[in-house]
Amino acid sequence: MDKSSGDEIWEDSFDKLLDPRPQQSNLNIIKKNVRLSYNIDTSVENSSHSIKGCSPKSCNRSVSISTPNYNHLGKDLFNCGLSPINRLQLDGFEDTTEKCNADKDAEPNTKKRGLIVPSKNQIDTFSKFSNQTNKVACASNQSNKIVGVVLKPGKWRKSLNIFRQTQISVLNESKKLESRNSVCQDRKSIFLNGLNKQNVISQQDFYKYCNQGKPLKFNAAYSQYKMLKTHKIGEGAYGEVFRYTPNRKGCKNDLVLKIIPIEGSIEVNGEKQKNFSQIWPEIIITKKLSSIQGFANIEKVSTVKGKYPQHFVKLWKRYDDEKGSENDHPGLFGENQLFVVLELHFAGSDMSNVIFLNSEQSFYALQQIILTLAVGEEDYQFEHRDLHWGNILIKSTTKKHICFKFNNTDLIVDSKGVNITIIDYTLSRITIDECCYFNDLSNDEELFQASGDYQFDIYRMMRNELKNNWSLYSPKTNILWLSYIIAKLMDSVKYKSINSKVHRLHINKLKELQSIILTFESAAHCARHIFNL
Ligand SMILES: Nc1ncnc2c1ncn2[C@@H]1O[C@H](COP(=O)(O)OP(=O)(O)OP(=O)(O)O)[C@@H](O)[C@H]1O
């Protein structure tokens, strides 16, 4: 492995670089339809920066773009990531009412794809409704039939909810279609046993899994006194994430709590609450992967009941005041609300928010990502299926090396000062004890019609790869996401130093890998190639 820079140099720099950007480094990003966000979507923000480290030639900008010309959309809509492999004529944007055709959409070298851009009226209607045209835009044709959605890159679930709400608003306004009661889709997490029979988890089984007879009292289980330096660090469509230092001896790691309301009848953050069976796959997957280097490390799962504790509400408000939250105020939960709480090791800031020292550091981070996926494939037939840069966390480390056990071999990768963690298995597919856990996206039309970043091409490419059968094991989907990540490393992540030889050298290595990545069948295949196994 190339060791062109001294370890000490970037270790300090990386830490220092994170420090001045606490707001950005802690963010998770979309703003709800109520008011404009302070927590600017950093993936949007990032993409508006010129990335000097990436040579225009390597990006092949002249011929490859998968995103709408934002001039059509108003300059503030957002700037988009470029697809390195799709080719589209800029004047080829057009509305289409055709149902998305998986094969056609996913083909990497389509001559011309019908990308959908909203008309000015539609954006205006939308912006009146959502007050955030820079985040999401809906697209519809003249008859107000919704045909596509431009989503914010990175975490997309809430964008999609906003889109759905907007769709209802537009339709209600025009009174052309009857309104729906809910904007939410039922979650479709599924697990199949060997007989392909869908399973259901009872409350009691779930409590047993948590080593509990019944739910704990929220206030008592997570009282203020057990936690030091607690603050909210992120949020997802399903819950809130707080970081804290445990107030007990011998606990070296900072932990995060991912608090997810379940089983209740009220909608939260535009989604129906999951039930025990629906949250089960996320728990099982997280627990299984926890022992593998590079996946989120889980300490504990518990179920709690009761109103949201005041100290968490205060932290929620502080985050909302400082950064703006897109989530619903947790005061909405009553005495009988159940929550599942995941306690995980703190794993850093997401890739869209960090500043790498140079591309050598990001190239080695990429090796960690590849090996993590490769081990996941080998051990559990794992496919992540939503590995956008918001789901890759990066933390500085003083360890010189990161160790992986792959292919019955101990592999050691230079850390170059960073440790990566892959999170969010909501869409993931895995086989555990002959039971397959997956999320059935076969009817999630809007996601497959989305555009706005190369990320949204990947969902279509996955659908094509899987022939829309989401239970299948096809590790090629991990390769599709790796292609997206390499593109981000070349085009979009921030680098402190781009004028060094070592940076140029590793940009070229990234470029080389990008040129062959789609020839691999799996992350394991790719790892064998990289490490000469
Ligand atoms: N282990 C961790 N360490 C540090 N930050 C974390 C960790 N887990 C989650 N986060 C932060 O919390 C945010 C939300 O977490 P996560 O993606 O797991 O939630 P989610 O509800 O599944 O999101 P989505 O809206 O994509 O479904 C992440 O983007 C990240 O910023």
Side-chain angles (χ1 to χ4, degrees):
M1 281 178 210
D2 207 312
K3 282 194 180 178
S4 3
S5 69
D7 286 351
E8 328 69 51
I9 305 169
W10 40 256
E11 257 169 30
D12 286 338
S13 316
F14 188 74
D15 286 340
K16 275 187 218 139
L17 285 165
L18 283 176
D19 288 343
R21 296 169 45 88
Q23 291 178 332
Q24 282 138 314
S25 64
N26 284 332
L27 288 184
N28 166 35
I29 317 320
I30 321 165
K31 184 68 189 164
K32 217 182 163 184
N33 53 339
V34 197
R35 59 198 149 73
L36 202 64
S37 172
Y38 296 113
N39 61 336
I40 307 286
D41 165 24
T42 48
S43 49
V44 174
E45 194 193 28
N46 283 350
S47 54
S48 66
H49 285 246
S50 71
I51 308 298
K52 293 176 203 149
C54 172
S55 84
K57 273 187 211 144
S58 74
C59 301
N60 207 7
R61 286 179 200 275
S62 58
V63 293
S64 48
I65 182 167
S66 73
T67 50
N69 177 349
Y70 68 83
N71 288 332
H72 291 241
L73 309 176
K75 78 176 165 47
D76 286 328
L77 184 62
F78 55 73
N79 295 331
C80 305
L82 302 178
S83 162
I85 57 173
N86 279 309
R87 186 188 173 106
L88 181 82
Q89 290 173 315
L90 276 176
D91 61 357
F93 298 126
E94 59 187 19
D95 281 356
T96 170
T97 51
E98 273 171 33
K99 208 166 174 253
C100 186
N101 173 324
D103 292 339
K104 205 167 67 185
D105 284 344
E107 215 173 280
N109 285 314
T110 41
K111 281 187 221 111
K112 175 175 156 181
R113 271 187 312 135
L115 258 183
I116 303 144
V117 269
S119 71
K120 173 98 173 56
N121 272 351
Q122 288 147 0
I123 291 176
D124 286 347
T125 311
F126 173 72
S127 63
K128 232 179 6 193
F129 180 79
S130 71
N131 195 18
Q132 55 166 2
T133 45
N134 59 337
K135 303 288 178 191
V136 195
C138 76
S140 66
N141 67 7
Q142 291 306 314
S143 65
N144 271 337
K145 185 174 174 190
I146 304 299
V147 293
V149 53
V150 180
L151 291 183
K152 186 195 82 96
K155 287 201 170 288
W156 48 270
R157 206 177 309 278
K158 278 185 275 182
S159 304
L160 202 53
N161 281 341
I162 291 165
F163 167 73
R164 287 184 186 130
Q165 288 169 330
T166 309
Q167 179 175 348
I168 289 169
S169 165
V170 170
L171 295 177
N172 282 346
E173 238 174 67
S174 68
K175 296 202 175 9
K176 288 211 164 128
L177 281 176
E178 56 191 61
S179 64
R180 286 157 55 185
N181 287 331
S182 168
V183 295
C184 306
Q185 294 196 320
D186 278 326
R187 301 310 322 151
K188 297 181 221 88
S189 304
I190 288 176
F191 52 110
L192 301 172
N193 64 18
L195 302 170
N196 263 15
K197 212 171 120 194
Q198 197 162 325
N199 287 345
V200 176
I201 280 288
S202 73
Q203 272 192 36
Q204 283 318 316
D205 284 346
F206 197 90
Y207 295 152
K208 220 156 111 189
Y209 187 82
C210 301
N211 289 322
Q212 300 173 218
K214 59 179 189 184
L216 309 169
K217 283 198 177 122
F218 197 170
N219 221 343
Y222 292 101
S223 78
Q224 203 167 352
Y225 310 102
K226 295 180 182 167
M227 300 184 283
L228 304 173
K229 294 192 258 168
T230 316
H231 58 285
K232 175 172 162 176
I233 57 166
E235 58 186 30
Y238 296 117
E240 306 288 338
V241 180
F242 297 88
R243 174 182 178 180
Y244 73 103
T245 307
N247 191 4
R248 57 176 183 257
K249 276 187 191 153
C251 199
K252 281 186 280 170
N253 289 304
D254 265 15
L255 296 179
V256 304
L257 297 180
K258 185 170 168 182
I259 303 173
I260 307 162
I262 52 158
E263 291 280 343
S265 52
I266 46 170
E267 283 176 10
V268 185
N269 310 326
E271 297 264 1
K272 280 180 181 162
Q273 294 180 34
K274 290 186 181 187
N275 59 34
F276 282 110
S277 299
Q278 288 164 330
I279 201 152
W280 186 240
E282 177 173 355
I283 308 283
I284 290 294
I285 297 175
T286 309
K287 203 89 188 218
K288 275 289 170 192
L289 296 178
S290 179
S291 56
I292 299 177
Q293 170 62 43
F295 288 110
N297 213 320
I298 190 164
E299 284 266 313
K300 190 171 157 192
V301 187
S302 51
T303 313
V304 298
K305 186 174 176 178
K307 279 175 108 56
Y308 228 77
Q310 266 313 306
H311 62 103
F312 283 126
V313 173
K314 267 191 202 153
L315 297 171
W316 188 94
K317 277 192 196 140
R318 189 184 300 165
Y319 179 98
D320 190 36
D321 290 344
E322 288 170 6
K323 294 158 188 168
S325 168
E326 292 158 358
N327 279 357
D328 293 336
H329 190 290
L332 91 165
F333 297 113
E335 296 285 355
N336 289 324
Q337 179 67 49
L338 289 169
F339 300 87
V340 167
V341 183
L342 306 187
E343 289 185 41
L344 304 148
H345 288 194
F346 174 71
S349 303
D350 72 74
M351 190 186 267
S352 68
N353 280 308
V354 299
I355 305 174
F356 287 103
L357 178 68
N358 56 32
S359 63
E360 182 190 43
Q361 195 174 50
S362 70
F363 183 76
Y364 280 84
L366 175 67
Q367 292 192 358
Q368 289 185 46
I369 296 168
I370 294 171
L371 278 172
T372 303
L373 292 173
V375 177
E377 286 172 0
E378 283 214 328
D379 290 3
Y380 296 112
Q381 298 192 324
F382 174 78
E383 297 169 53
H384 189 282
R385 295 188 176 174
D386 198 17
L387 198 53
H388 57 73
W389 63 350
N391 284 335
I392 298 172
L393 302 185
I394 295 171
K395 196 176 147 190
S396 57
T397 178
T398 49
K399 282 189 200 162
K400 282 244 180 311
H401 304 112
I402 311 286
C403 303
F404 293 86
K405 192 155 193 76
F406 171 63
N407 215 27
N408 286 325
T409 314
D410 289 320
L411 282 178
I412 293 171
V413 179
D414 284 5
S415 75
K416 298 290 170 195
V418 290
N419 194 333
I420 71 95
T421 302
I422 292 175
I423 60 162
D424 193 356
Y425 316 124
T426 316
L427 299 192
S428 298
R429 187 253 177 244
I430 197 168
T431 307
I432 299 169
D433 300 331
E434 292 181 18
C435 186
C436 161
Y437 297 76
F438 69 102
N439 202 292
D440 186 2
L441 292 177
S442 56
N443 295 314
D444 225 315
E445 270 309 314
E446 289 134 324
L447 177 60
F448 298 112
Q449 291 178 30
S451 56
D453 193 89
Y454 178 37
Q455 173 185 350
F456 300 106
D457 295 331
I458 304 291
Y459 302 109
R460 287 183 282 273
M461 290 158 81
M462 283 200 298
R463 181 167 74 164
N464 188 41
E465 186 58 41
L466 294 162
K467 310 267 182 301
N468 215 16
N469 178 353
W470 294 83
S471 68
L472 280 185
Y473 175 52
S474 176
K476 184 87 180 192
T477 61
N478 288 333
I479 288 293
L480 300 176
W481 283 107
L482 284 173
S483 143
Y484 153 91
I485 291 162
I486 299 170
K488 283 284 178 231
L489 296 180
M490 293 198 308
D491 277 354
S492 306
V493 300
K494 292 194 178 82
Y495 289 111
K496 185 191 174 209
S497 151
I498 52 167
N499 293 321
S500 63
K501 218 169 155 184
V502 72
H503 180 78
R504 283 191 295 275
L505 178 75
H506 286 86
I507 283 291
N508 281 335
K509 288 189 178 197
L510 287 169
K511 207 166 132 189
E512 248 170 56
L513 188 55
Q514 184 67 305
S515 70
I516 55 168
I517 191 76
L518 291 176
T519 65
F520 298 114
E521 286 311 312
S522 61
H525 187 196
C526 176
R528 283 192 193 97
H529 172 84
I530 292 177
F531 295 95
N532 290 322
L533 298 172

